[in-house]
C-alpha cells in the first residue's frame, strides 16, 4: 500500500490538474463555439463552468484541511493554515 502522504498528494494534484484543464478553456469559449470545438466549458457555459471550478477547488482545499486536522505525521499548522489561506484567497 502507498503511504497516506502519497495518496493525498496524488489525489490533490489530480483534482487540481482537472480544475486547470477546465479553467484554461474559459477564455476560449466563444472561439470554441464558433469553430464547433466541444469542450467542457463550451458545453456547460462560462458561468457554470467557472462556478464548478471554484466549487471543486474549494472541496480540494477542504480535503487538505481535513487531512491536516486528522492525519498522523503531518504538520497541522502548515496543512490547515495554508489550505485555509488558499481557500480564503479563492
Amino acid at each position: 500500500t502507498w503511504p497516506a502522504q502519497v495518496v493525498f498528494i496524488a489525489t490533490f494534484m489530480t483534482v487540481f490538474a482537472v480544475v486547470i484543464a477546465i479553467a484554461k478553456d474559459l477564455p476560449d469559449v466563444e472561439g470554441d463555439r464558433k469553430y464547433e470545438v466541444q469542450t467542457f466549458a463550451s458545453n456547460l457555459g462560462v458561468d457554470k463552468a467557472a462556478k464548478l471550478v471554484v466549487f471543486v477547488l474549494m472541496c480540494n482545499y477542504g480535503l487538505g484541511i481535513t487531512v491536516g486536522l486528522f492525519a498522523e505525521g503531518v504538520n497541522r499548522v502548515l496543512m490547515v493554515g495554508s489550505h485555509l489561506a488558499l481557500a480564503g484567497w479563492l
Side-chain angles (χ1 to χ4, degrees):
T1 62
W2 292 350
Q5 295 90 339
V6 172
V7 173
F8 168 73
I9 291 170
T11 303
F12 188 89
M13 293 309 298
T14 300
V15 171
F16 201 81
V18 170
V19 166
I20 290 170
I22 295 169
K24 79 164 199 66
D25 284 336
L26 293 177
D28 302 328
V29 168
E30 292 305 317
D32 291 343
R33 287 181 178 154
K34 180 179 178 181
Y35 294 105
E36 298 179 4
V37 176
Q38 297 294 312
T39 66
F40 192 80
S42 66
N43 288 334
L44 194 60
V46 173
D47 190 52
K48 287 182 181 177
K51 287 178 181 176
L52 179 64
V53 162
V54 170
F55 174 76
V56 171
L57 201 50
M58 289 296 284
C59 289
N60 213 27
Y61 289 137
L63 172 67
I65 293 165
T66 303
V67 168
L69 289 172
F70 298 107
E72 296 295 322
V74 299
N75 183 332
R76 294 194 195 295
V77 173
L78 180 62
M79 282 289 287
V80 173
S82 62
H83 288 97
L84 272 174
L86 291 168
W89 182 50
L90 187 61

